[in-house]
Structures are given as structure tokens and as C-alpha cells.
Amino acid sequence: MLKQLRPALLILAIFTVITGVLYPAVITGIAQVFFPYQANGSIILKNGQPAGSALIGQSFDDPKYFWGRLSATAPFAYNASASAGSNLGPLNGVLTQTAQARIDALRAADPGNTALVPVDLVTASASGLDPQISPAAAEYQAARVAKARGLDIAAVRQLVAQNTTGRTLGMLGEPVVNVLQLNLALDDRQLK
Amino acid sequence: MNINGILQIVVYLAVLLLLVKPLGLYMARVYEGENVVINRALGPFERLIYRIAGVNPDEGMTWKTYAVAVLVFSLISGLVVYALQRLQAGLPLNPAGMSAVSPDLAFNTAVSFMTNTNWQNYGGETTLSYLTQMLALTTQNFVSAAVGMAVLMAVIRGFRARSSQTLGNFWVDLVRGTMYILLPLSIILAVALVSQGVVQTVADYKTVPVLQATTYQVPHLDAAGQAVKDASGNPVMDTIALTQTTIALGPAASQIAIKQLGTNGGGFFNANSAHPLENPTAFSNFLELLAILLIPAALCYTFGRMVGDTRQGWAILIVMTLLLTPFIVLAYSAESNGNPRLTALGVDQTSSAIQSGGNMEGKEARFGVANSALWAVTTTAASNGSVNAMHDSLTPLGGLAPLAMLSLAEVVFGGVGCGLYGMFIFVIIAVFVAGLMVGRTPEYLGKKIESYEMKMASLCFLILPLMALDATALAVVLDVGKASVFNPGPHGFSEVLYAFMSQADNNGSAFGGLGGNTVFYNLLGGVVMLFGRFWMMIPPLAIAGSMARKKVVPPSAGTLPTHNALFIVWLIAIIVIVGALTFFPALALGPIVEHLMMIQ
């Protein structure tokens, strides 16, 4: 037993240095040199100033913006320093109440729209920070956003398409629309 | 379900199986001490480690010495992780100013990481300093994985040995597994993940403005920190304007690479691989998924090669794959069908070219239901435990699939090393039962299986039901246990059952609604994890020690071949019967009742 104590202590100490210090340090070095944008949080710059992250969603409830997924982070939605899902089970009454509240808000902002609501608009994402929605969820909102901004719907759809990412290699993942980048693009277009 | 989802699952399994032989061969050569490219460069450094540590790399260990070395190393590891959490407030690399972790949570987390479980009762970005994440957690991610692989090597040498007393040297296996297998793979994966957008920095959290300013409400607190209530008893709320948000960052990619490869699973962020900075794209998701099963799958080939008969390894890999696939299909189809309660509200859950559809609660848009279901099943098959969707929000049958994988005792791929030596326990039971049926002494790889081996195997497969079911029973009768349950009804029972099965299996994933960070769950869970790890580890070493001493019996007409289709089917049957019969009553009370409630 005591004979094994020395190698145990020393090998743990050596590997703490190699895997706990050198390895993260080397990866940090490579990351900061070759991928500085990604390694620091994919921060979007607008006129040289940070305007959010391309990978972190934000909360929207203004009709002129596209809305994202629901978020269950505390104490406010899309809290990027405390990621969390709702953890609501499928039969939990709170799940249906939350979904109904979102449906009501969507309908109130867009009275004429009678289409079925795409599921990702009424459910909370796993991280609470999901930056994206499905193209179906964007299309559901396109007419409302166009009307609120006095834009042609074709122009809005064009911006949606520009901010849509297809499946990787035509196969992996799902097609998605980045909500924050789309909303920034909408604001930019109106300034011109 | 749609064609694209099925295609993604098929491509995933195909790429995984293609990598088995090259990686398996490489690992066999590493552990056999043969020349691989990397040890020409690092060989002098490896020998320096042995010299500093006072290890004679040529000295073989008996099974008892090997077991003692494993236990001493794990105990010291646990103490270091505990100490770092308790002292982090006063240590450097703590830009977010995290305070010391409470003793019970620090105990749970220390056990969790030394046992390769990575159960998370802590929230990464709200509890731990960068230093704790790096020194304590990243280090344990490497070495606890390397310990599992080392024990597997000892067990394999026991099967292979001819009248021998020793099973190799633990320190050598530990050092080689870490330096030549886990580190190089992690470096490649970490850089690939950063390229996709996983963060890797030691800078402070980043505050950015929000595009649309909003407000939120929090309870108004009085001077004593108590929520103030108005005349009618409702809490008084303060409205706070939100104009900016703080994004948690950190050296994440380096930790995520090894947490996936080493079947660890403890995320850098609370939301684990659902967090967009931990798993930002469909491609990063594919790589992380691949890393979950890569080493456990390849070790099957390593085993076959080391015992001189690769057919033995392939047979076991086929058993694992055949047990995995139906549960992926079950989870994917259940999640695709969505939630009838939402359909009733006028929600569109159909799958189409422009949406994944299905049950999207607790899932990320970029992954959809196909990748979330695939991940849920692979992470519970291997004892990885990372998640890219919240398992608590899965449909009843979607949640049954990971629970079923947990009930198969983590031998379907399983943890790195431990999955395969767990599988050997079932192989021994399978050849024993087959031997009883035909009245012959059972054999495996030319060694007789006798009463000592069977006693040890029985000890192993009893531990999971003993720990998981008894702890669940205790928690659901005690008020301290019930107080943490989040969802009402059978789903709440599933939360508790899942928690203890996950910890007994050293998996680490959770039905996350359960408020696990209480003294009761921290302590009971810690004990369950300790038994789940070491009670599963010592008997296989004892079996290996006994097998090593035995002579090899030449195969005869009465020998049951352990590499053909008949044996594959037989082994699957034994695993399913043992696992399913043990846990079916508990599963019936949780997800099965819930499913019946949902469809009525």
C-alpha cells in the first residue's frame, strides 16, 4: 500500500501539470492564434463595437423583430452566464401553459395569422441560449415583421434566406436561421 | 422520422465502425509497448516519469497489487479534487470570483470525477473557477479514463496469460494510456472544436449589449433577504431593465474534447453539449458524438488483437452494436411523434424540409430530434453522460431508451475500459449458463470458468440493482428525497430512478429537473458512485488474477465457440434477460405509466 503511495502522488502531480496546465495552455495558444474570433465567443462587431454573439440567442418580443426559442434561464430569459433548460416533463401542466402563453403572444402580435405554430417557437431550448430557429418558424413570422416595418415580404424573406444555414455537407444537423443576425440585418437595411 | 434523420444515424455508425480497426490496432501496440510513431518522440519523457515516480516499468503486478495501486491513485485523486474546490476562492485564475464549494457538493463532485462518472450537481459557469475546471476536472477527465483502460488491459492480460502470476504494471498502463492515446486524440478534437466556435480563453466573462432592451421581474427582498409579500399574500416584484448580457466564457474546448473521448461527460457549462459555446454546429455535434463511442468501440479490436484472435473482439462489438441500434430507433421515433398535448394547442410538430418537428422541448434547433435522440442513447450506452438535449423533457418512450441503456449495466460500449471488462462479466455468465445446459465445464478463450470466477461475476452484476434500486427506494420514501423532485407524477419517479442508475453506472447524465444539490443527494449519490466504480472493478481483476494462473485447455468438439453468430445471439439474450428483468418493474412505474397517461 505505502509502496504505491509515492508513484500515485508523483504521477498525479505530473499529469496535473501536463493535462491540467500545459494541455489547456497549448490549446488556448493554438486557438487564440488561429481561431481568435471563435475562441473568444464569436462576438459580432457593429461599427467596431460588440453587438452580441453569433452563437448566443437574445430575447425578442417586439413585433418588428423575429422571435427566437423560449428560454428557461434564470432570473431572466437568455441569461448567457447561467445556461439551463426548462426540464419540464411532457405531461407537466406548466409546459402547456407556457406554450399557450407564447401562442397567445404570437397571435396578438399578428392577428390575421391562422397557421399552425411551428413547434420550436413554443418550446424552450435545452441551453436556454439557442441562437437559432427553424426556417418554418422564420416563415411563420415573416409577414408580421414585414408589416411592422413597412417592408415588402419578399425583402424580409430574402434576409431570412441570407441568414439561413443549411445542413452541413447537405446531411448533418437541421437547417436553421440565426435570429440575432437576422434582426441586426433588418435594422441595418432600414438605416440605409 | 425522416430519411435525412435515418441517414445521419447510419453515417454515424458507419464512420464509427470504420475507425475501430485503425484505432484499436494503435491502442494494442501502445499497451504492448511496441513502437508507435509518437513514443519515439516522447519515449525519453515517459522513462523520465517512471524515474521520478520510482516505478520499475518492467515489474509485473499481481492482481492484488494492481488493485491496490488503482485504489491508492483514485483516493488521492479524489482528495485533490475536493481540496481544490474548497480552496478555489483564494487561488488564482478565478476571474468570476467563485466562492468555495460547500463540503457536501465538493464531496459529490470529487467522487464524481475520480470515478469517471462526472455527475453534475454543480453548474459549471456558476460554481467553479477556471483553475478548478482545469486542474481538478480536466486532469481527472484524463486520468480516471486512463485508469479504466488500464484495468481493462490487466483483465485482458489475465485471459491471455499462460500460468502466470502478474497482469502488467498499473503505472505503465496509466502513463501510456494518458500520453499516447488520450492526449493526442484530445488535442486533435479540441482544435477541431475551436474551429467550429467552441470557446477557449482564460479572459473574463464578456458583457455585450442586447439588441432589444427588455425588462424582467425578480421578487423584492427586504433587508434580511426575505421575499416581501403584499396584503393579499402575493410576492412583491421588482422590475429590472435589461440592456446588456454577460456571456460566460472559459477554456472550454480543451475540457470538452477529453470529456467526450474519456466517457466522462462533465460539461464546462451547465447545459453541457447543448450550450452553443460547447457544441456550436452540426459538425461539432458529429465530432462530439463520434468521440463518445470511439475508444470503447475500438477497445474491442484491441482486445481481440491482444488475445491473438480478433474474431473474439469483433463478436463483442457486434453484440454491442446490435443492442444499441434498436434503442436509437425507439428514441428517434418517440421524439419524432412529438407531444400530443402540444398538438391539441394548434402546434405544428410534423417533420418537413424546413423544420425538424417532433418534441422540441429541451432541444436545440440546430440538432433537431434525430441528433438529440442519437446522442441520448449513445451517451447512456457508453457511460459518457454528456447531453445535447435535456433528458428530463424527452417523451416517455424517448426517455425509456436511455433508461434502458442504463439498466444494461453500461456494457453496451460502456465507459472507456470499464464497459468492456463489464461485458466480460456477462460473457462469463453466458458461457457458464451454456455450460450448465450441455453439462460441460464452461470455458472462455481456452480457460476453464469455475466457481471462483462465477462468484466474482455474480458480485459484479448484483451491484447495479443493489445500489440503484435501493437508493431510489430510499429517496422516494424519505421527505428529503421527495423534496427535490421537480415534475409531478410518474415522471418525478423517473427523475429519481434515472439519477441513481446514472450514478451507480458511473454515467453522469440526468433528468436535470431533480434538484440534486442537497446534502441528501450529494452524500447518497457519492456513495453510490464509489460502489458503482470500485465494486465493478475489483472482481474483474480477481477473475483476471485467477485466469492468469490457469493452463490453457485445447479446444475440443465440446467447446462452445465464442465468436460465431450463435454465441452473439446467446450473449445478447443473457444481457437483455438479466438487465431487463431486474429493472422492468421500476421502468413500468416510471416511463411506461407515463406513456399510457400520455396516449389515453
Side-chain angles (χ1 to χ4, degrees):
Chain A
M1 171 103 191
L2 285 177
K3 188 167 174 264
Q4 309 301 341
L5 205 54
R6 179 181 164 202
L9 280 168
L10 288 168
I11 289 181
L12 182 63
I14 293 168
F15 277 139
T16 300
V17 175
I18 296 177
T19 64
V21 180
L22 292 179
Y23 160 70
V26 167
I27 301 294
T28 306
I30 295 172
Q32 292 294 333
V33 170
F34 292 101
F35 305 104
Y37 169 75
Q38 291 95 326
N40 294 305
S42 304
I43 302 294
I44 304 168
L45 292 181
K46 203 172 154 186
N47 307 325
Q49 293 299 313
S53 161
L55 292 175
I56 299 290
Q58 292 185 4
S59 195
F60 294 100
D61 59 7
D62 190 323
K64 71 175 181 176
Y65 286 123
F66 282 87
W67 302 356
R69 307 287 309 274
L70 294 176
S71 163
T73 60
F76 52 88
Y78 288 95
N79 179 357
S81 47
S83 57
S86 74
N87 284 317
L88 293 170
L91 303 188
N92 196 319
V94 180
L95 177 76
T96 32
Q97 285 162 22
T98 316
Q100 185 64 57
R102 190 59 175 309
I103 293 170
D104 293 344
L106 284 163
R107 295 253 158 89
D110 189 11
N113 192 345
T114 55
L116 292 176
V117 183
V119 63
D120 52 326
L121 281 181
V122 304
T123 46
S125 63
S127 62
L129 305 174
D130 195 339
Q132 294 148 335
I133 53 175
S134 67
E139 174 57 28
Y140 178 87
Q141 303 181 68
R144 181 197 78 216
V145 173
K147 196 173 152 209
R149 289 178 179 263
L151 284 171
D152 188 22
I153 190 164
V156 174
R157 284 192 177 131
Q158 191 192 353
L159 283 179
V160 170
Q162 283 166 5
N163 287 282
T164 301
T165 315
R167 293 190 165 103
T168 308
L169 307 173
M171 177 190 72
L172 295 177
E174 301 289 338
V176 279
V177 182
N178 189 303
V179 178
L180 176 61
Q181 288 180 319
L182 173 58
N183 286 334
L184 284 166
L186 279 165
D187 279 0
D188 274 356
R189 187 192 153 87
Q190 299 231 294
L191 288 175
K192 278 173 199 159
Chain B
M1 299 213 282
N2 61 35
I3 295 291
N4 193 274
I6 294 167
L7 180 69
Q8 292 191 54
I9 292 166
V10 171
V11 167
Y12 169 72
L13 290 174
V15 173
L16 175 73
L17 294 176
L18 278 175
L19 292 171
V20 162
K21 189 175 172 184
L23 181 62
L25 184 62
Y26 172 77
M27 290 195 290
R29 297 183 63 181
V30 164
Y31 283 113
E32 300 279 42
E34 293 171 31
N35 257 330
V36 287
V37 177
I38 195 169
N39 66 5
R40 270 185 220 132
L42 294 179
F45 187 70
E46 182 193 344
R47 288 186 286 278
L48 179 67
I49 294 179
Y50 299 143
R51 223 175 14 255
I52 296 172
V55 170
N56 174 4
D58 301 321
E59 186 186 327
M61 292 178 171
T62 64
W63 81 263
K64 282 181 187 156
T65 314
Y66 206 102
V68 167
V70 169
L71 292 176
V72 170
F73 183 75
S74 301
L75 176 69
I76 289 175
S77 295
L79 292 175
V80 170
V81 179
Y82 182 84
L84 278 167
Q85 293 177 84
R86 299 284 292 138
L87 301 173
Q88 68 177 10
L91 295 171
L93 272 182
N94 185 9
M98 300 295 179
S99 54
V101 181
S102 70
D104 55 302
L105 180 57
F107 164 74
N108 187 281
T109 307
V111 171
S112 175
F113 277 77
M114 73 184 258
T115 59
N116 197 244
T117 309
N118 301 24
W119 174 264
Q120 290 179 277
N121 276 348
Y122 63 93
E125 68 269 47
T126 53
T127 316
L128 300 178
S129 73
Y130 290 173
L131 188 84
T132 309
Q133 294 257 21
M134 286 160 59
L135 283 195
L137 305 194
T138 305
T139 304
Q140 281 309 311
N141 280 348
F142 277 97
V143 295
S144 73
V147 165
M149 291 157 71
V151 170
L152 173 67
M153 291 308 132
V155 173
I156 292 174
R157 291 188 194 110
F159 285 132
R160 180 181 67 177
R162 306 271 188 272
S163 310
S164 162
Q165 292 291 333
T166 60
L167 303 174
N169 187 302
F170 171 68
W171 305 115
V172 173
D173 290 338
L174 176 71
V175 169
R176 286 191 181 149
T178 308
M179 274 177 55
Y180 298 147
I181 297 170
L182 297 173
L183 253 180
L185 286 175
S186 298
I187 291 171
I188 296 167
L189 182 59
V191 174
L193 290 178
V194 173
S195 79
Q196 295 298 302
V198 178
V199 291
Q200 179 74 26
T201 171
V202 287
D204 197 356
Y205 292 1
K206 177 98 182 163
T207 299
V208 296
V210 296
L211 183 56
Q212 184 200 330
T214 51
T215 58
Y216 65 98
Q217 295 196 310
V218 292
H220 183 76
L221 302 181
D222 61 20
Q226 297 296 311
V228 179
K229 295 192 173 169
D230 63 15
S232 53
N234 295 318
V236 178
M237 304 300 277
D238 289 338
T239 299
I240 299 177
L242 184 73
T243 57
Q244 56 182 25
T245 183
T246 299
I247 300 173
L249 302 172
S254 52
Q255 187 177 323
I256 294 160
I258 182 61
K259 81 143 189 201
Q260 295 303 108
L261 284 163
T263 56
N264 293 288
F268 193 89
F269 300 108
N270 186 46
N272 208 293
S273 280
H275 196 297
L277 297 179
E278 185 150 342
N279 189 5
T281 65
F283 186 61
S284 70
N285 188 66
F286 184 80
L287 292 178
E288 291 185 20
L289 259 173
L290 199 58
I292 292 178
L293 291 187
L294 182 62
I295 293 179
L299 280 170
C300 294
Y301 186 87
T302 309
F303 155 67
R305 156 114 177 162
M306 285 175 73
V307 297
D309 183 358
T310 49
R311 294 174 309 176
Q312 304 289 345
W314 287 118
I316 286 180
L317 185 63
I318 291 169
V319 168
M320 291 175 170
T321 311
L322 291 179
L323 279 167
L324 177 80
T325 315
F327 290 100
I328 296 174
V329 175
L330 171 68
Y332 182 29
S333 96
E335 292 307 299
S336 298
N337 289 338
N339 185 343
R341 304 272 161 110
L342 292 183
T343 311
L345 301 181
V347 172
D348 180 10
Q349 297 182 82
T350 53
S351 145
S352 73
I354 54 171
Q355 76 163 4
S356 141
N359 171 31
M360 285 300 288
E361 181 71 21
K363 293 191 180 62
E364 299 282 297
R366 62 195 178 282
F367 307 141
V369 291
N371 279 298
S372 303
L374 177 60
W375 188 302
V377 176
T378 52
T379 195
T380 43
S383 76
N384 188 290
S386 60
V387 294
N388 76 345
M390 292 300 131
H391 290 191
D392 215 346
S393 296
L394 293 171
T395 58
L397 293 184
L400 176 67
L403 269 166
M405 295 316 295
L406 291 175
S407 71
L408 299 182
E410 302 292 31
V411 298
V412 179
F413 296 96
V416 286
C418 26
L420 192 49
Y421 66 67
M423 179 61 101
F424 291 148
I425 297 299
F426 281 93
V427 169
I428 286 172
I429 295 168
V431 295
F432 178 77
V433 176
L436 284 183
M437 291 164 104
V438 295
R440 278 187 58 94
T441 308
E443 297 162 15
Y444 185 53
L445 305 175
K447 299 284 183 83
K448 281 198 167 69
I449 306 290
E450 293 165 298
S451 74
Y452 180 78
E453 287 78 25
M454 268 314 290
K455 281 180 198 155
M456 289 296 143
S458 308
L459 275 180
C460 263
F461 81 76
L462 287 175
I463 188 63
L464 174 63
L466 188 69
M467 285 290 122
L469 295 179
D470 290 342
T472 303
L474 190 64
V476 295
V477 296
L478 293 180
D479 288 337
V480 284
K482 285 185 284 190
S484 294
V485 172
F486 176 66
N487 281 289
H491 198 88
F493 176 77
S494 300
E495 285 178 354
V496 179
L497 178 67
Y498 195 109
F500 288 112
M501 286 178 72
S502 169
Q503 293 181 87
D505 272 331
N506 293 156
N507 180 281
S509 64
F511 271 24
L514 184 78
N517 185 15
T518 65
V519 174
F520 174 76
Y521 279 100
N522 280 335
L523 296 184
L524 185 58
V527 171
V528 166
M529 285 188 276
L530 279 175
F531 275 92
R533 172 77 161 179
F534 296 107
W535 197 324
M536 279 299 287
M537 190 176 266
I538 310 296
L541 278 174
I543 291 173
S546 154
M547 298 280 261
R549 287 191 294 273
K550 294 183 186 199
K551 291 195 176 66
V552 175
V553 193
S556 68
T559 304
L560 173 72
T562 51
H563 57 75
N564 59 12
L566 176 67
F567 185 76
I568 288 170
V569 174
W570 177 243
L571 182 55
I572 290 175
I574 291 286
I575 293 168
V576 170
I577 289 167
V578 170
L581 289 189
T582 313
F583 287 98
F584 185 78
L587 295 177
L589 290 174
I592 295 175
V593 167
E594 193 188 13
H595 179 68
L596 296 176
M597 288 168 65
M598 187 176 85
I599 59 173
Q600 72 175 202

